[in-house]
Amino acid sequence: MTKKVFKYDMQRGLGSCVVALKKMQDTEKEKFLPLVLWGCSRDMAFDAQCEGCRSVYLYELITEFPDVTPFIDVIEKRLFHSMHSNGWEFQQDCELLAYFVSDGIRRAWKILMVCYRFLMISLDECELDQYGRFPERDNFQSLCITLVSLCFDDRKQRAKIYQKIVRDLCILGKENPLLTVEHFDWFQSVSEDSLGKAAMHKLLHRADAEGDMKTYARLLEECRVMRAEWRKERREEPETADELYKLLKIGKRPGREWALRLACGWMRRNKEQEVSRLAAYYKDEKEWDIRYQILRMLAKKECAWALDLTQLFADSRSEHSELSEWAFTALGYRRDAKVRTYALELLQNGAHTAEAVSMLAKNYEACDRDILVYAVRQISITYWDVAWHWAFGDVMDLFRDPGRSKPNELLHYMYQNTLCSSCREYIVKEMGRRRMLTRGLLEEMRYDCNENIRKYANKKLSGEKI
């Protein structure tokens, strides 16, 4: 394996990198050490919120080298650099150090403890940034989660760590309203999984519990009551298209929750007539901004059927990028000969390739095979332009539809090239259904960054039914 291929595969979290290192002598591995160090100095996941961090994968790569010291050096440096930053690198660093701790490396535990104390002090001096974010608080919570769940297998040890963190959270909450218990609900949730809900309840509510534990238990209950009341008091959503349109015309814009669920909620409640009425407003609206607000609520799989195709074609060519983007999204859900023709025109002109692939996949015919395969291979795959991500998803939907003459070679291509391991999981299972998984591929998948892919490969290799 060349260094170029190794780096490419490592960015995708493919198990081929681990397998390659396992087959090498220590002297051969040296040329790949800078690449793994590079991987340890940045957030490697495409979407850590869905995939999780790539820490397990990186740790498997690290442990293939005879000396882990250079990696701990880099991780320690990055940990203190990333603690003031948004993103997932800090959590990745914490988890990597936790794996070193679980392997008995005391230096890793000392680093985590120094970081813990440093953040405790820093939190008093930090505040929300201009975007309302508080990276130090988020990172402190990530560190607390790591300490209570990953460093030790012994539950008694985890319980001691949990109690210490609870005491410190009570201290922080007294001094700063931005550090009160309700801001650490993720920590509480993971702690319940780590210690067990029954053990957690006993720890917080036993008769001889110390003052801070009792205080923390009371604050948790207050948070639960407060959230329940907040859900009851949330502003009522519009029940009809007319109500929604009036709000839009007086300048009120739907929040993210409305945009995600309002029209789809109408469909679930058998209110298709309201979706149709809202689509009529979209077709007739002259102000592009209001048309855009309506379109982003209807450009969903459940609702796109109601939208006027002529208007969608026109909006896809709009100079307003937001309107164009949502028009293409809606077109990707429409099965219609006109959409297929439009997709083929775009591909012929080399314009909006990813969007055209989505439309063609939805309207695929056997004669489109070569065109689709070529087009998918032309889409640029980068971290910053994620049009490929949606196109790959739509191509996967094509394989779920009944019918023959599907371009199986695209499954292997997407497996090798997608940056998203969550998507790769579905690709792998589809390849399995189509008997495309060789023993060599399954051996690689045993070391994939995606835990479910690793489990799937192990079951396949062991002959278990899946």
Side-chain angles (χ1 to χ4, degrees), residues 315-330:
D315 283 342
S316 71
R317 303 183 186 97
S318 172
E319 61 183 15
H320 301 290
S321 59
E322 303 98 327
L323 186 60
S324 173
E325 180 182 340
W326 282 106
F328 275 123
T329 299

Side-chain angles (χ1 to χ4, degrees), residues 342-359:
Y342 184 41
L344 292 171
E345 288 175 2
L346 290 172
L347 291 175
Q348 187 174 8
N349 296 327
H352 297 285
T353 303
E355 292 83 356
V357 162
S358 293
M359 290 187 284

Side-chain angles (χ1 to χ4, degrees), residues 375-393:
V376 170
R377 292 175 179 271
Q378 299 310 302
I379 302 172
S380 179
I381 302 171
T382 65
Y383 286 99
W384 47 91
D385 183 355
V386 298
W388 62 268
H389 190 219
W390 309 116
F392 279 22

Side-chain angles (χ1 to χ4, degrees), residues 133-340:
R133 299 174 301 192
F134 197 162
E136 292 82 6
R137 182 181 66 195
D138 296 338
N139 290 331
F140 183 66
Q141 179 167 213
S142 291
L143 175 55
C144 292
I145 288 169
T146 301
L147 295 175
V148 84
S149 62
L150 292 180
C151 290
F152 303 101
D153 291 330
D154 181 30
R155 284 200 173 189
K156 288 184 178 180
Q157 184 71 22
R158 290 183 175 186
K160 288 181 181 178
I161 294 171
Y162 174 76
Q163 288 173 294
K164 172 179 170 45
I165 294 171
V166 163
R167 287 193 293 269
D168 290 338
L169 289 180
C170 287
I171 293 170
L172 290 171
K174 291 174 185 175
E175 297 174 354
N176 188 337
L178 295 174
L179 301 172
T180 47
V181 170
E182 63 263 30
H183 298 292
F184 293 88
D185 54 344
W186 184 26
F187 161 73
Q188 180 60 26
S189 176
V190 173
S191 296
E192 288 178 1
D193 291 338
S194 178
L195 301 177
K197 286 188 176 181
M200 175 73 66
H201 187 272
K202 184 178 179 181
L203 200 62
L204 291 173
H205 297 279
R206 68 187 188 190
D208 61 340
E210 58 186 82
D212 285 331
M213 298 301 287
K214 290 181 178 179
T215 299
Y216 187 77
R218 175 177 56 79
L219 292 172
L220 283 178
E221 179 59 22
E222 289 177 1
C223 287
R224 187 190 66 77
V225 173
M226 181 179 65
R227 288 196 181 98
E229 291 176 351
W230 176 80
R231 283 193 290 268
K232 289 179 182 178
E233 294 172 359
R234 273 196 314 181
R235 186 173 59 181
E236 291 281 328
E237 293 177 349
E239 288 295 326
T240 68
D242 294 341
E243 289 177 24
L244 175 59
Y245 185 68
K246 287 176 183 176
L247 290 174
L248 292 173
K249 292 300 282 187
I250 63 174
K252 291 191 177 182
R253 297 294 182 256
R256 185 172 182 273
E257 286 191 19
W258 280 17
L260 285 173
R261 74 184 187 196
L262 187 58
C264 294
W266 288 346
M267 288 295 296
R268 284 193 298 272
R269 299 196 298 273
N270 298 316
K271 298 175 70 173
E272 291 91 343
Q273 71 278 8
E274 297 302 332
V275 174
S276 296
R277 195 167 291 126
L278 190 58
Y281 279 123
Y282 161 75
K283 178 183 177 182
D284 297 334
E285 181 56 48
K286 303 304 180 187
E287 295 181 45
W288 81 267
D289 180 53
I290 293 180
R291 199 162 68 250
Y292 155 70
Q293 297 294 344
I294 297 173
L295 179 56
R296 72 181 186 135
M297 285 184 272
L298 292 175
K300 306 287 189 296
K301 187 176 183 179
E302 299 88 343
C303 308
W305 58 269
L307 292 163
D308 181 75
L309 277 179
T310 302
Q311 189 62 59
L312 284 175
F313 291 143
D315 283 342
S316 71
R317 303 183 186 97
S318 172
E319 61 183 15
H320 301 290
S321 59
E322 303 98 327
L323 186 60
S324 173
E325 180 182 340
W326 282 106
F328 275 123
T329 299
L331 286 167
Y333 292 121
R334 293 294 294 271
R335 191 186 299 276
D336 190 285
K338 293 178 182 177
V339 177
R340 177 176 174 274

Side-chain angles (χ1 to χ4, degrees), residues 427-437 456 460:
I427 295 168
V428 164
K429 290 177 180 177
E430 188 62 37
M431 291 173 73
R433 280 191 285 270
R434 292 170 182 270
R435 303 182 184 278
M436 295 174 63
L437 298 178
Y456 180 85
K460 278 280 190 181

